[in-house]
Amino acid sequence: MKKTYGVIGGDRRQAELAQLLRMESNTVFTYGLSRWKAGDEVSLDQAAAANVILLPLPLCKGDGVLNCEEGAVPTMELFRRLRPRQRILAGQVRPAQLREAEACGLRLEDYFLREELTIANAAATAEGAIQTAMEHSDRTLLGMDCLVLGFGRIGKLLCHRLHGLGARVTAVARKPQDLAWIRAYGYQALETGALDGHLSAFGAVFNTVPSLILNGALTAQLPEDCLCVDLASVRGIEPAERAVWARSLPGRLSPRTAAAAIRDAVHSILLEE
């Protein structure tokens, strides 16, 4: 059975998501996506009346404010327009917004908790990180000493891709089991708290950890021409001007692929009930 979707707020991922859903013969209304010509742009009230409400990834761009280009839309204001019988899905939902939705009698579901989506997002981020590095460097990655801070989903995939391009990869982690896996994959391993004195040879640094890892004293040990790419939502490299802050790469560099992954996750959620 075809559904009526309200795609509210977000970036090019949500604009592409609206198009993909229309291609499946669904009725789709959008709000806050006119910049990307998503089509069928309507008022917030009209979009909020759909059977299935799809909100951005991430849901918020500030404290209690919807991630939306149309201006400041408080999430509580949006939730008051919705109805308990609607399916309401969003990405990277904060606890405060879960409480707001609950206070309005709504069930707010986080599609970014789906493992298949987080893996697809990590793959797109790793690919985008390499694209960003190539665009900001006058050297190839072949033979370059590259440092990857963090060995989560993005860190693992980024190390794999850098290694495939012929880079000499060193990965940084805190947990002993992660350090063991880094060595098992054939990369060099560094413990997060033991970076001092080991940074002078790197041509590129990629941060995937949403907390400060390289402070000014450590960054000063990097070569002057070392390229730093910060992929995290919270800067992990200071001073800020030393690094290219490359957040939300899937939404900027591969929005159609990112949208397809969100669509598949949404379909799975809707089919489970």
Side-chain angles (χ1 to χ4, degrees):
M1 179 179 177
K2 303 305 177 185
K3 294 179 173 61
T4 300
Y5 291 90
V7 183
I8 301 174
D11 54 25
R12 282 184 61 196
R13 281 174 289 194
Q14 277 67 42
E16 294 288 351
L17 174 60
Q19 299 288 13
L20 291 174
L21 291 170
R22 286 195 188 97
M23 290 170 62
E24 298 173 345
S25 301
N26 296 294
T27 299
V28 183
F29 300 108
T30 65
Y31 175 81
L33 297 172
S34 57
R35 173 181 173 185
W36 295 281
K37 297 179 173 60
D40 289 337
E41 187 83 1
V42 298
S43 70
L44 179 57
D45 283 331
Q46 286 176 292
N51 302 124
V52 180
I53 304 299
L54 300 181
L55 301 177
L57 170 65
L59 172 60
C60 294
K61 65 177 178 181
D63 289 337
V65 178
L66 184 70
N67 177 9
C68 182
E69 291 288 335
E70 291 299 316
V73 178
T75 50
M76 193 62 174
E77 178 183 321
L78 171 62
F79 294 154
R80 289 192 179 113
R81 299 170 188 258
L82 303 178
R83 308 181 305 276
R85 66 179 179 272
Q86 291 171 298
R87 296 299 298 272
I88 307 164
L89 297 93
Q92 291 183 329
V93 180
R94 299 174 182 174
Q97 277 59 58
L98 287 173
R99 291 193 294 270
E100 288 178 352
E102 185 178 359
C104 293
L106 306 174
R107 180 185 175 191
L108 178 58
E109 301 171 80
D110 192 337
Y111 54 71
F112 202 63
L113 296 178
R114 304 286 300 197
E115 184 72 7
E116 66 268 30
L117 176 54
T118 55
I119 291 171
N121 187 77
T125 300
E127 185 173 320
I130 290 173
Q131 178 179 336
T132 300
M134 289 178 169
E135 289 174 350
H136 286 83
S137 179
D138 57 2
R139 294 178 289 166
T140 65
L141 293 168
L142 176 65
M144 182 182 290
D145 286 292
C146 293
L147 181 67
V148 177
L149 305 174
F151 204 64
R153 294 183 187 89
I154 295 172
K156 289 182 177 72
L157 289 165
L158 182 53
C159 287
H160 177 71
R161 281 158 172 71
L162 288 168
H163 180 74
L165 289 170
R168 293 189 291 268
V169 178
T170 299
V172 174
R174 295 183 187 278
K175 298 177 182 177
Q177 59 265 39
D178 287 337
L179 294 167
W181 275 113
I182 290 167
R183 297 184 186 98
Y185 280 120
Y187 316 134
Q188 295 298 309
L190 277 175
E191 201 276 322
T192 304
L195 297 177
D196 191 15
H198 297 280
L199 299 171
S200 62
F202 293 107
V205 175
F206 301 86
N207 177 54
T208 71
V209 182
S211 61
L212 182 61
I213 301 298
L214 292 186
N215 58 29
L218 290 174
T219 304
Q221 298 179 27
L222 296 169
E224 214 171 285
D225 60 349
C226 177
L227 173 66
C228 297
V229 180
D230 204 335
L231 305 170
S233 56
V234 176
R235 287 186 181 273
I237 302 173
E238 64 176 25
E241 60 269 17
R242 183 67 195 267
V244 178
W245 199 10
R247 298 182 299 169
S248 301
L249 287 178
R252 293 193 288 111
L253 300 182
S254 53
R256 176 58 67 97
T257 298
I262 295 173
R263 177 203 58 193
D264 293 346
V266 167
H267 283 345
S268 295
I269 291 170
L270 296 179
L271 284 172
E272 288 173 358
E273 293 189 7

